[in-house]
């Protein structure tokens, strides 16, 4: 069966959006994965189709009603995979999480708006909260798109070259090494000649492999000390 992404949103017209183009779009056309959107507003219980109300205790903004959200979730309760609420409070999305989700049958994503979703439905449905990072978006839809994209590209048949996945950032605990292509010598806008590292044109595959690993390690140590510390610790545990 194809991997399925089910998205609950107040703005179904935002989908597939970027997911309908390039790699995820081609994979969607081939049936590698399926997308389903559900308009939360269809489950509103009054003539005004209200999905939110003022927060108890006062404060700015509005909160999405638990009865409306719960009804929407109930309509897709049989969809495969976990239910995830995109929220700044959640665990950060990383490559291992994306791979775990891609290895499963699919995912149901709840996109919040306004001040968020009533906590009672999150607790009642045991929804997992996931965040893209330490920043706030206007709604969960862009985060849902990013999460789906991160998963889809890991699905069998989605990538043109499955081997390229092994060399990407985070796959081995390191950031990716630099890339170069033609022309071999290039004059930049300041008139400086910039030449491709000689080792990459040597034809010596083992030296190229060693250079790429060394560059990946250097960049990770410089830019992401947290990843580098974890990488070093993992190597020490493995006896390397």
């Amino acid at each position: 069966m194809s991997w399925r992404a089910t998205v609950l949103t107040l703005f179904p017209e935002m989908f597939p959006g970027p997911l309908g183009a390039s790699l995820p779009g081609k994979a969607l056309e081939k049936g590698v994965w399926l997308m389903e959107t559900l308009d939360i507003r269809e489950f509103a219980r009054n003539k005004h189709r209200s999905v939110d109300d003022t927060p108890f205790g006062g404060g700015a903004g509005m909160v999405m009603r638990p009865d409306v959200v719960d009804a929407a979730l109930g309509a897709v309760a049989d969809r495969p995979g976990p239910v995830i609420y995109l929220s700044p409070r959640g665990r950060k999305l990383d490559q291992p999480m994306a791979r775990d989700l891609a290895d499963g049958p699919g995912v149901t994503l709840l996109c919040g708006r306004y001040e968020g979703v009533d906590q009672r439905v999150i607790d009642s449905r045991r929804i997992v909260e996931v965040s893209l990072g330490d920043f706030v978006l206007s709604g969960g839809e862009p985060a849902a798109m990013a999460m789906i994209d991160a998963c889809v590209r890991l699905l069998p048949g989605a990538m043109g070259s499955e081997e390229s996945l092994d060399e990407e950032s985070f796959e081995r605990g390191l950031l990716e090494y630099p890339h170069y292509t033609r022309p071999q010598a290039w004059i930049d806008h300041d008139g400086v000649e910039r030449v491709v590292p000689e080792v990459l044109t040597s034809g010596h595959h083992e030296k190229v492999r060693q250079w790429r690993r060394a560059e990946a390690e250097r960049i990770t140590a410089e830019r992401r000390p947290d990843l580098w510390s974890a990488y070093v610790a993992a190597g020490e545990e493995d006896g390397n």
Side-chain angles (χ1 to χ4, degrees):
M1 296 180 63
S2 299
W3 191 85
R4 177 186 291 270
T6 302
V7 182
L8 281 68
T9 172
L10 293 176
F11 300 97
E13 66 274 13
M14 294 179 68
F15 295 87
L19 297 172
S22 190
L23 186 151
K26 292 177 181 177
L28 187 61
E29 289 179 1
K30 291 193 299 182
V32 173
W33 69 290
L34 304 174
M35 164 162 276
E36 174 186 19
T37 56
L38 194 70
D39 187 351
I40 297 174
R41 200 173 295 279
E42 293 296 327
F43 298 87
R45 297 170 180 262
N46 58 36
K47 64 180 181 180
H48 301 294
R49 302 181 74 202
S50 300
V51 298
D52 60 335
D53 212 323
T54 55
F56 281 112
M62 305 288 278
V63 178
M64 293 179 68
R65 294 172 55 106
D67 53 344
V68 177
V69 174
D70 185 68
L73 288 168
V76 293
D78 61 342
R79 303 305 190 268
V83 178
I84 292 176
Y85 170 46
L86 287 312
S87 163
R89 303 184 312 184
R91 169 190 163 188
K92 285 186 183 179
L93 174 66
D94 55 19
Q95 195 67 10
M97 184 193 297
R99 186 165 288 284
D100 285 345
L101 291 172
D103 287 342
V107 65
T108 296
L109 301 176
L110 172 60
C111 300
R113 281 276 163 173
Y114 317 120
E115 294 303 308
V117 175
D118 188 298
Q119 184 65 40
R120 289 170 293 179
V121 71
I122 297 174
D123 296 340
S124 174
R125 290 279 180 178
R126 297 179 176 85
I127 300 173
V128 178
E129 296 186 60
V130 175
S131 170
L132 285 193
D134 297 337
F135 53 90
V136 179
L137 298 170
S138 57
E141 289 79 10
M145 292 178 191
M147 175 177 283
I148 293 171
D149 184 89
C151 294
V152 166
R153 61 194 316 282
L154 298 174
L155 300 176
M159 290 282 284
S161 173
E162 301 292 336
E163 294 179 359
S164 64
L165 289 173
D166 293 334
E167 299 295 326
E168 291 184 328
S169 292
F170 310 115
E171 281 299 327
R172 301 189 181 189
L174 296 171
L175 298 179
E176 198 168 4
Y177 51 79
H179 296 276
Y180 298 88
T181 187
R182 293 180 177 84
Q184 186 173 340
W186 169 64
I187 307 298
D188 71 11
H189 64 283
D190 290 324
V192 177
E193 184 180 46
R194 297 182 180 273
V195 181
V196 174
E198 186 175 351
V199 65
L200 298 181
T201 61
S202 68
H204 196 299
H205 297 302
E206 179 57 24
K207 288 184 178 179
V208 170
R209 187 194 68 79
Q210 292 175 0
W211 179 88
R212 286 175 169 171
R213 171 56 65 91
E215 284 295 289
E217 291 179 344
R218 177 185 64 81
I219 291 171
T220 303
E222 290 177 357
R223 303 183 184 181
R224 290 290 302 273
D226 56 328
L227 290 178
W228 178 247
S229 295
Y231 174 76
V232 170
E236 291 174 349
E237 290 178 2
D238 293 340
N240 296 327

